[in-house]
Amino acid sequence: SYRNFDCSVLRHISSLGSLNCLTMLEVLVDHNLHLEQFMVLMPNLLELGLSILTRFSLSKRVYLNEYIPRLEAVVAASKAPVLKVTVVAEARRLVDKVFKNNYVEKLILTGPCTFNMFPVMDRLKEVVVNLDALFIDDTCNYWKSKIDDRSLHRSGLCCVNIGSVY
């Protein structure tokens, strides 16, 4: 099935012994992601790109018990110094995504104000946040912001909570 396709491709590449040669990897992420088991086989990875594409109608159970834990596990297992996260489409839920990693030095995040990412990264030196034009029309859609207070984005809160870094 298509759900196992990414795992079978990675297993095949792994059997050839080529995963340890990868320096950059860009993958499409949904609730069926099983990339964390392969991260240990990529010691030379310099940049990990995660393009998130989930159904808007994803159930709360699947979102909390499958999607979030797997996404956080992939980030935790990565040894790449550059982490690039692009949110193409995601179910909108007021849930914190705690990304723990001791290797990431640069975080590049593109997505909506409501992504709610909390980086817990000891070596983090640079954070680049791009509020994608796909999600914004010059208004902020951060959680519980008043309609008449959406002309300015909440620096340090929109998309990623920088307060957790300090």
Side-chain angles (χ1 to χ4, degrees):
S1 90
Y2 76 92
R3 293 180 182 183
N4 296 324
F5 180 74
D6 54 350
C7 282
S8 22
V9 168
L10 286 169
R11 272 191 217 102
H12 181 68
I13 295 171
S14 175
S15 70
L16 299 173
S18 299
L19 280 181
N20 63 349
C21 298
L22 282 179
T23 56
M24 187 167 77
L25 178 66
E26 180 83 31
V27 293
L28 188 63
V29 176
D30 68 356
H31 65 283
N32 294 312
L33 176 74
H34 294 282
L35 185 62
E36 68 275 5
Q37 61 194 359
F38 296 99
M39 294 308 295
V40 71
L41 303 173
M42 299 180 235
N44 297 319
L45 198 62
L46 298 176
E47 182 177 321
L48 175 63
L50 303 173
S51 295
I52 297 174
L53 179 64
T54 64
R55 295 187 322 252
F56 289 112
S57 62
L58 202 60
S59 74
K60 186 175 182 178
R61 183 190 60 78
V62 171
Y63 189 87
L64 294 174
N65 297 327
E66 293 179 30
Y67 166 64
I68 295 294
R70 286 182 180 156
L71 180 62
E72 290 174 347
V74 168
V75 171
S78 173
K79 293 186 178 177
V82 177
L83 176 62
K84 190 168 94 176
V85 179
T86 304
V87 182
V88 178
E90 185 191 43
R92 185 178 165 166
R93 301 231 195 276
L94 184 54
V95 174
D96 298 336
K97 296 164 195 75
V98 181
F99 285 4
K100 296 179 182 178
N101 189 295
N102 293 325
Y103 299 96
V104 173
E105 296 175 9
K106 182 176 182 179
L107 174 64
I108 304 167
L109 186 59
T110 303
C113 296
T114 55
F115 187 63
N116 255 27
M117 190 196 119
F118 286 76
V120 179
M121 302 173 176
D122 294 338
R123 294 186 183 176
L124 189 62
K125 296 176 185 167
E126 183 179 356
V127 177
V128 178
V129 178
N130 302 311
L131 298 172
D132 194 21
L134 179 68
F135 296 103
I136 59 172
D137 53 352
D138 291 333
T139 60
C140 178
N141 60 356
Y142 187 71
W143 301 103
K144 298 181 183 178
S145 61
K146 296 177 182 172
I147 293 175
D148 60 343
D149 188 28
R150 293 186 177 177
S151 59
L152 292 175
H153 289 281
R154 278 97 181 126
S155 297
L157 289 176
C158 284
C159 209
V160 59
N161 190 324
I162 300 299
S164 63
V165 174
Y166 295 104

